[in-house]
Coordinates of all heavy atoms in Angstrom, one line a residue:
V183 N 0.9 -1.2 0.0 CA 0.0 0.0 0.0 C 0.9 1.2 0.0 O 1.8 1.4 0.9 CB -0.9 0.0 1.2 CG1 -1.8 1.2 1.3 CG2 -1.8 -1.2 1.3
V184 N 0.7 2.0 -1.0 CA 1.6 3.2 -1.1 C 0.7 4.5 -1.3 O -0.2 4.6 -2.2 CB 2.5 3.1 -2.3 CG1 3.4 4.3 -2.4 CG2 3.4 1.8 -2.2
E185 N 0.9 5.5 -0.4 CA 0.3 6.8 -0.5 C 1.3 7.8 -1.1 O 2.4 7.7 -1.1 CB -0.2 7.4 0.9 CG -0.8 6.3 1.7 CD 0.0 5.7 2.7 OE1 1.0 5.3 2.4 OE2 -0.6 5.3 3.9
S186 N 0.6 8.9 -1.7 CA 1.4 10.0 -2.3 C 0.5 11.2 -2.3 O -0.8 11.2 -2.2 CB 1.9 9.6 -3.6 OG 0.9 9.4 -4.6
G187 N 1.0 12.3 -2.6 CA 0.3 13.6 -2.7 C 0.3 14.5 -1.7 O -0.2 15.6 -1.8
G188 N 1.0 14.2 -0.5 CA 1.1 15.1 0.6 C 2.0 16.3 0.3 O 2.6 16.3 -0.7
G189 N 2.0 17.3 1.2 CA 2.8 18.4 1.0 C 2.4 19.5 1.9 O 1.6 19.4 2.8
L190 N 3.0 20.8 1.7 CA 2.7 21.9 2.5 C 1.8 23.0 1.6 O 2.2 23.2 0.5 CB 4.1 22.6 2.8 CG 4.0 24.0 3.4 CD1 3.4 23.8 4.8 CD2 5.3 24.5 3.6
V191 N 0.7 23.4 2.2 CA -0.1 24.2 1.7 C -0.6 25.3 2.7 O -0.5 25.0 3.9 CB -1.4 23.6 1.0 CG1 -1.1 22.6 0.0 CG2 -2.2 22.8 2.2
Q192 N -1.1 26.4 2.1 CA -1.7 27.4 3.0 C -3.1 27.2 3.4 O -3.7 26.4 2.6 CB -1.4 28.8 2.4 CG 0.0 29.3 2.3 CD 0.0 30.8 1.9 OE1 -1.0 31.4 1.6 NE2 1.3 31.3 1.7
A193 N -3.5 27.6 4.4 CA -4.9 27.4 4.8 C -5.9 28.0 3.6 O -5.6 29.0 3.0 CB -5.3 28.2 6.0
G194 N -6.9 27.1 3.4 CA -7.7 27.3 2.2 C -7.3 26.7 1.0 O -8.1 26.7 0.0
G195 N -6.2 26.2 0.9 CA -5.7 25.5 -0.2 C -6.2 24.0 -0.4 O -7.0 23.6 0.5
S196 N -5.7 23.3 -1.3 CA -6.2 22.0 -1.7 C -5.0 21.0 -1.9 O -3.9 21.4 -2.5 CB -7.2 22.0 -2.9 OG -8.2 22.7 -2.7
L197 N -5.2 19.8 -1.7 CA -4.4 18.7 -2.0 C -5.2 17.5 -2.4 O -6.2 17.2 -2.0 CB -3.4 18.4 -0.8 CG -2.3 19.2 -0.5 CD1 -1.7 18.7 0.9 CD2 -1.2 19.3 -1.6
R198 N -4.6 16.6 -3.2 CA -5.3 15.4 -3.5 C -4.2 14.2 -3.2 O -3.1 14.2 -3.8 CB -5.6 15.3 -5.0 CG -6.4 14.1 -5.5 CD -6.5 14.0 -7.0 NE -7.5 13.1 -7.4 CZ -7.5 12.5 -8.6 NH1 -6.5 12.7 -9.5 NH2 -8.6 11.7 -8.9
L199 N -4.6 13.4 -2.3 CA -3.9 12.2 -2.0 C -4.3 11.0 -2.7 O -5.4 10.8 -3.1 CB -4.0 11.9 -0.4 CG -3.7 13.0 0.5 CD1 -4.0 12.5 1.9 CD2 -2.4 13.8 0.3
S200 N -3.3 10.1 -3.0 CA -3.7 8.8 -3.7 C -3.1 7.7 -2.9 O -2.2 7.8 -2.1 CB -2.9 8.9 -5.1 OG -3.3 9.8 -6.0
C201 N -3.7 6.6 -3.0 CA -3.3 5.4 -2.3 C -3.5 4.2 -3.4 O -4.6 4.1 -4.0 CB -4.3 5.1 -1.1 SG -4.0 3.4 -0.4
V202 N -2.5 3.5 -3.7 CA -2.5 2.5 -4.6 C -2.2 1.1 -3.7 O -1.1 1.0 -3.1 CB -1.5 2.6 -5.7 CG1 -1.4 1.4 -6.6 CG2 -1.7 3.8 -6.4
A203 N -3.0 0.1 -3.9 CA -2.8 -1.3 -3.4 C -2.4 -2.2 -4.6 O -3.0 -2.1 -5.5 CB -4.0 -1.8 -2.7
S204 N -1.5 -3.0 -4.3 CA -0.9 -4.0 -5.2 C -0.4 -5.3 -4.6 O -0.3 -5.3 -3.4 CB 0.2 -3.4 -6.1 OG 1.4 -3.1 -5.3
G205 N -0.4 -6.3 -5.4 CA 0.1 -7.6 -4.8 C -1.1 -8.6 -5.0 O -1.7 -8.7 -6.0
T206 N -1.0 -9.6 -4.1 CA -1.9 -10.7 -4.2 C -3.3 -10.4 -3.5 O -3.5 -10.4 -2.4 CB -1.4 -12.0 -3.6 OG1 -0.1 -12.3 -4.1 CG2 -2.4 -13.1 -3.8
I207 N -4.3 -9.8 -4.5 CA -5.6 -9.4 -4.1 C -6.6 -10.1 -4.8 O -6.7 -10.0 -6.0 CB -5.6 -7.8 -4.3 CG1 -4.5 -7.0 -3.6 CG2 -7.0 -7.3 -4.0 CD1 -4.3 -5.7 -3.9
F208 N -7.5 -10.8 -4.0 CA -8.6 -11.4 -4.6 C -9.7 -10.4 -4.8 O -10.3 -10.2 -5.8 CB -9.1 -12.5 -3.8 CG -10.3 -13.3 -4.3 CD1 -10.2 -14.1 -5.4 CD2 -11.6 -13.0 -3.8 CE1 -11.3 -14.8 -5.9 CE2 -12.6 -13.6 -4.3 CZ -12.6 -14.6 -5.4
S209 N -9.8 -9.6 -3.8 CA -10.7 -8.4 -3.8 C -10.5 -7.5 -2.7 O -9.9 -7.9 -1.7 CB -12.2 -8.9 -3.8 OG -12.6 -9.5 -2.5
I210 N -11.0 -6.2 -2.8 CA -10.7 -5.3 -1.8 C -12.1 -5.0 -1.1 O -13.1 -4.8 -1.8 CB -10.2 -3.9 -2.3 CG1 -8.7 -4.1 -2.8 CG2 -10.4 -2.8 -1.2 CD1 -8.3 -2.8 -3.3
K211 N -12.1 -5.3 0.2 CA -13.4 -5.0 0.9 C -13.7 -3.7 1.2 O -14.8 -3.2 1.3 CB -13.3 -6.0 2.2 CG -13.4 -7.4 1.9 CD -13.2 -8.2 3.1 CE -14.5 -8.2 4.0 NZ -14.3 -9.1 5.2
S212 N -12.5 -2.9 1.6 CA -12.8 -1.5 1.9 C -11.4 -0.7 1.8 O -10.3 -1.3 1.9 CB -13.4 -1.3 3.4 OG -12.5 -1.7 4.2
M213 N -11.5 0.6 1.6 CA -10.3 1.3 1.6 C -10.6 2.6 2.4 O -11.7 3.2 2.3 CB -9.9 1.8 0.3 CG -9.4 0.5 -0.7 SD -8.9 1.1 -2.4 CE -7.2 1.5 -1.9
S214 N -9.7 3.0 3.4 CA -10.0 4.0 4.3 C -8.7 4.9 4.4 O -7.6 4.5 4.2 CB -10.2 3.5 5.6 OG -11.3 2.5 5.6
W215 N -9.0 6.2 4.8 CA -8.0 7.1 5.1 C -8.0 7.4 6.5 O -9.1 7.8 7.1 CB -8.2 8.4 4.4 CG -7.7 8.4 2.8 CD1 -8.6 8.3 1.9 CD2 -6.4 8.4 2.4 NE1 -7.9 8.3 0.7 CE2 -6.5 8.4 1.0 CE3 -5.2 8.5 3.0 CZ2 -5.4 8.3 0.2 CZ3 -4.1 8.5 2.1 CH2 -4.1 8.4 0.7
Y216 N -6.9 7.4 7.2 CA -6.7 7.7 8.7 C -5.7 8.9 8.7 O -5.0 9.1 7.7 CB -6.1 6.6 9.4 CG -7.2 5.4 9.7 CD1 -7.4 4.4 8.7 CD2 -7.6 5.3 11.0 CE1 -8.4 3.4 9.0 CE2 -8.6 4.2 11.3 CZ -8.9 3.3 10.2 OH -9.7 2.3 10.6
R217 N -5.7 9.6 9.9 CA -4.6 10.7 10.0 C -4.2 10.5 11.5 O -5.0 10.3 12.4 CB -5.1 12.0 9.6 CG -6.2 12.6 10.4 CD -6.7 13.9 9.7 NE -7.8 14.5 10.5 CZ -8.4 15.5 10.2 NH1 -8.1 16.2 9.0 NH2 -9.4 16.2 10.9
Q218 N -2.9 11.0 11.8 CA -2.4 11.0 13.0 C -1.6 12.3 13.2 O -0.5 12.5 12.5 CB -1.6 9.8 13.4 CG -1.2 9.8 14.9 CD -0.9 8.4 15.3 OE1 -0.5 7.6 14.5 NE2 -0.9 8.2 16.6
A219 N -2.0 13.2 14.0 CA -1.2 14.4 14.3 C -0.5 14.2 15.6 O -0.8 13.3 16.5 CB -2.2 15.6 14.6
P220 N 0.7 15.0 15.8 CA 1.4 14.8 17.1 C 0.6 15.1 18.3 O -0.1 15.9 18.4 CB 2.5 16.0 16.9 CG 2.6 16.2 15.4 CD 1.3 16.0 14.9
G221 N 0.7 14.1 19.2 CA 0.0 14.1 20.5 C -1.4 13.7 20.4 O -2.2 13.8 21.4
K222 N -1.9 13.3 19.2 CA -3.3 13.0 19.0 C -3.4 11.5 18.7 O -2.5 10.8 18.1 CB -3.9 13.8 17.9 CG -3.9 15.4 18.0 CD -4.9 15.6 19.3 CE -4.9 17.1 19.4 NZ -5.7 17.9 18.3
Q223 N -4.5 10.9 19.0 CA -4.9 9.5 18.6 C -5.0 9.5 17.1 O -5.6 10.4 16.5 CB -6.1 9.1 19.4 CG -6.3 7.6 19.2 CD -7.5 7.2 20.2 OE1 -8.7 7.7 20.0 NE2 -7.4 6.4 21.1
R224 N -4.9 8.4 16.6 CA -5.1 8.2 15.2 C -6.5 8.2 14.9 O -7.3 7.6 15.6 CB -4.5 6.9 14.7 CG -4.7 6.5 13.3 CD -3.9 5.3 12.7 NE -2.4 5.5 12.8 CZ -1.6 4.6 12.5 NH1 -1.9 3.4 12.1 NH2 -0.3 4.8 12.7
E225 N -6.9 8.8 13.9 CA -8.3 9.2 13.6 C -8.7 8.7 12.3 O -8.1 8.8 11.2 CB -8.5 10.7 13.7 CG -9.9 11.2 13.3 CD -10.0 12.7 13.3 OE1 -9.1 13.4 12.8 OE2 -11.1 13.3 13.9
L226 N -9.9 8.1 12.2 CA -10.5 7.6 10.7 C -11.1 8.8 10.2 O -12.0 9.5 10.8 CB -11.6 6.7 11.0 CG -12.4 6.1 9.8 CD1 -11.4 5.5 8.7 CD2 -13.5 5.2 10.1
V227 N -10.6 9.3 9.0 CA -10.9 10.4 8.3 C -12.2 10.0 7.3 O -13.2 10.7 7.4 CB -9.8 11.0 7.4 CG1 -10.3 12.2 6.6 CG2 -8.7 11.4 8.5
A228 N -12.0 8.9 6.7 CA -13.1 8.6 5.6 C -12.8 7.1 5.3 O -11.7 6.6 5.3 CB -13.0 9.5 4.5

């Protein structure tokens, strides 16, 4: 699983992240984005 697309932006800006899964896959049941900030618990985003 490989993510890309992060970076530094100013407030109000936009970014598009990508996630690619590869390998031995019969099917994908779900894909999710999480985030973790310093001092914070990992959070399910979408």
Side-chain angles (χ1 to χ4, degrees):
V183 179
V184 179
E185 307 100 327
S186 62
L190 173 64
V191 298
Q192 293 188 2
S196 298
L197 285 173
R198 190 191 193 202
L199 307 184
S200 298
C201 172
V202 180
S204 61
T206 304
I207 300 172
F208 182 75
S209 65
I210 293 178
K211 298 176 69 177
S212 67
M213 299 184 77
S214 304
W215 285 103
Y216 289 76
R217 66 186 180 187
Q218 188 162 21
K222 298 292 185 68
Q223 189 177 62
R224 184 171 294 180
E225 174 185 42
L226 176 63
V227 177

